Amino acid sequence: MPSTIVLVADQQELHAPLTRRLEDQSHSVFVVKDIPEALLYLRDPACTASVVVFHMVLRRQQDAFTLTEICSFRPYLQVILLADKARGTVFDGQTPHANIRILHRSIGPQELLHVVQDAVGAADAQMGSKEEDSEVDLDAEADENGPTVFTTPFLMRVGMADVPVLLHGETGVGKEVMARRLCAYSPRANKPFLKLNCAALPSELVESELFGYEKGAFTGAAVDKPGKFEIAQGGTILLDEIGDMDIRLQAKLLQVLQDGEVQPLGSRKTVKLNVRVLAATHRDLRRAIEVGTFREDLYYRLNVVNIIIPPLRERRDEIIPLAEKLLKRHMRPGMVEPVLSEPFKELMLQYDWPGNVRELENLMRRLLVYQSEKMIFGDLERAIEHSRTKARPVLPVAVETAEPVAAAAPQVAPAIASITDLAEVARQAEAKLLLEALEHTHWNRRQAAARLNLDYKAFLYKLQKLGLVGKKDKTTVPQTV
């Protein structure tokens, strides 16, 4: 059956013999000169290509991510990468998508022709009837809070819209993965994609990371440093955990988004920006606006499109397919894929997965290490028993914990009569949270930081800021052995 085949090569004469032979077999051949042009064509919903051959090395991680995403929403597309082992590709050491094949670029013309013909046959077999494609729902189901069920056409529309997007969801549901998918479908797919975790760094460092600084702007600023906004020119920036950003910094961020320009710290010049902003949070920002920890004007500036990613426990039909996909992702070349037994699958479906996709991924990686379900069966049973005795919140954890803390310490609540009192209560609550994490991990600070999903240096900074450890004498916190 005739097919459309894309050949990617900066020197088009490399594929001239292959082009002639394919055209002799009635295939349509589309030759492009570089990777960005090829990815732009393949992302187009009107694209009918079934096979693409890259005669150049993919070295940018974003190109590899975009190509994998294209294979995900075009499951019949067959990709052939001609690579030199000495130069390698971004897929080195990883298992690419099942439809991506990596061959040595020294392959002969006749052998390459056979590989392409096999790929055309595989694409035809996977494509099936055109009626199946027409059954794809073009809209996402939505409620008053925003879309919660996504189809590829919906994500493509949002990606191509080039507007700010606010991603909501519990920790581990895949907010960054969703952000990267939107970027892969956007006109900025081949431009920089940068991420900044607003909760992992002190507000002073977040400010310098975002906006940059000039030499001498503060102690330690030995050289000029561009901020992430400036580095991401033409591309996309993800502000992860935006709900944890300092209120003062929120005002400056709002100004940057409104004016479309940034002024580095210590500089008099401004830099015009052309950056798409995506933001993600596990917090209820409307509640945060009510209590005064998040600016309402910034919320409406970011909330052009609001995507709520449901927790894994509300998507139980996805647990097993996700687990099998994650197994394949982390398998080393030559490794035999473990087969999930039916009892183990039933156990996975009974669990609530408080860590969501991240927890599921870690379990699959553990299974690949142990190569035995029996070694983790008991752990999963105990986790299920523990989850049954502990009620899971429906709303984001950070929002739900606000009321129990007040209920557990009623003597503090009446004392909140000013902003100063509120800050003191917040300080005490944060100190209590840090101490509980330290006690739970037997005062192992690295484990405590990981338990709170904090960067280790940020965790130490908070200990020092709250007076739980001195600036120089850090022996007030027991040292780990």
Side-chain angles (χ1 to χ4, degrees), residues 27-223:
H27 295 300
S28 299
V29 180
F30 181 45
V31 182
V32 296
K33 62 181 180 180
D34 56 32
I35 294 171
E37 184 181 354
L39 297 180
L40 183 64
Y41 173 70
L42 294 171
R43 284 201 311 271
D44 189 337
C47 171
T48 59
S50 60
V51 178
V52 56
V53 181
F54 286 89
H55 205 134
M56 51 179 55
V57 180
L58 272 71
R59 292 197 179 87
R60 293 178 69 246
Q61 193 64 47
Q62 185 60 38
D63 290 340
F65 186 89
T66 302
L67 185 58
T68 304
E69 282 299 313
I70 291 171
C71 289
S72 296
F73 73 81
R74 296 186 188 280
Y76 56 85
L77 181 66
Q78 306 293 309
V79 178
I80 301 170
L81 297 176
L82 301 180
D84 187 340
K85 286 186 178 180
R87 300 172 68 185
T89 73
V90 291
F91 290 117
D92 287 350
Q94 304 177 28
T95 303
H97 191 278
N99 288 3
I100 299 177
R101 283 179 276 186
I102 302 176
L103 305 175
H104 198 280
R105 68 187 335 170
S106 61
I107 185 173
Q110 189 62 35
E111 188 178 357
L112 179 58
L113 176 63
H114 290 318
V115 172
V116 173
Q117 289 173 330
D118 290 343
V120 170
D124 290 341
Q126 293 184 27
M127 196 176 303
S129 63
K130 294 184 178 179
E131 287 76 15
E132 292 181 359
D133 292 338
S134 65
E135 293 176 0
V136 176
D137 182 13
L138 295 180
D139 295 304
E141 296 180 17
D143 59 20
E144 60 182 2
N145 294 315
T148 57
V149 181
F150 320 106
T151 61
T152 294
F154 167 77
L155 294 178
M156 291 179 68
R157 287 202 299 271
V158 175
M160 295 298 290
D162 204 32
V163 297
V165 178
L166 188 57
L167 302 166
H168 281 92
E170 292 180 6
T171 299
V173 294
K175 297 186 290 293
E176 182 181 348
V177 173
M178 177 65 75
R180 291 186 179 275
R181 289 191 69 181
L182 294 175
C183 179
Y185 298 146
S186 77
R188 301 175 184 267
N190 297 299
K191 301 295 183 180
F193 179 95
L194 300 182
K195 170 194 169 185
L196 180 68
N197 191 320
C198 302
L201 297 171
S203 59
E204 296 82 1
L205 293 182
V206 173
E207 184 173 7
S208 62
E209 284 290 317
L210 273 179
F211 309 128
Y213 54 81
E214 277 198 349
K215 178 180 179 181
F218 51 83
T219 303
V223 295

Side-chain angles (χ1 to χ4, degrees), residues 209-273:
E209 284 290 317
L210 273 179
F211 309 128
Y213 54 81
E214 277 198 349
K215 178 180 179 181
F218 51 83
T219 303
V223 295
D224 294 348
K225 180 182 177 182
K228 288 190 179 292
F229 271 117
E230 192 172 349
I231 297 173
Q233 280 285 25
T236 306
I237 186 168
L238 170 63
L239 300 178
D240 199 10
E241 300 302 349
I242 187 74
D244 295 298
M245 179 178 282
D246 181 81
I247 192 76
R248 180 188 62 84
L249 190 55
Q250 291 176 29
K252 188 166 184 178
L253 175 62
L254 176 65
Q255 195 67 40
V256 169
L257 296 178
Q258 288 177 337
D259 298 342
E261 59 185 26
V262 64
Q263 184 174 15
L265 299 177
S267 175
R268 296 182 179 179
K269 68 176 183 179
T270 58
V271 179
K272 287 290 184 181
L273 296 178

Side-chain angles (χ1 to χ4, degrees), residues 196-206 209 241 244 430-431 433-434 438 445-446 448-469 474:
L196 180 68
N197 191 320
C198 302
L201 297 171
S203 59
E204 296 82 1
L205 293 182
V206 173
E209 284 290 317
E241 300 302 349
D244 295 298
E430 186 175 17
L433 187 64
L434 296 177
L438 285 168
R445 289 177 292 181
R446 288 192 181 275
R451 180 178 178 82
L452 295 172
N453 198 26
L454 282 175
D455 178 83
Y456 180 57
K457 291 184 178 179
F459 180 75
L460 295 181
Y461 172 84
K462 287 180 179 292
L463 290 179
Q464 179 179 308
K465 179 181 177 182
L466 295 170
L468 302 178
V469 62
K474 300 184 179 180

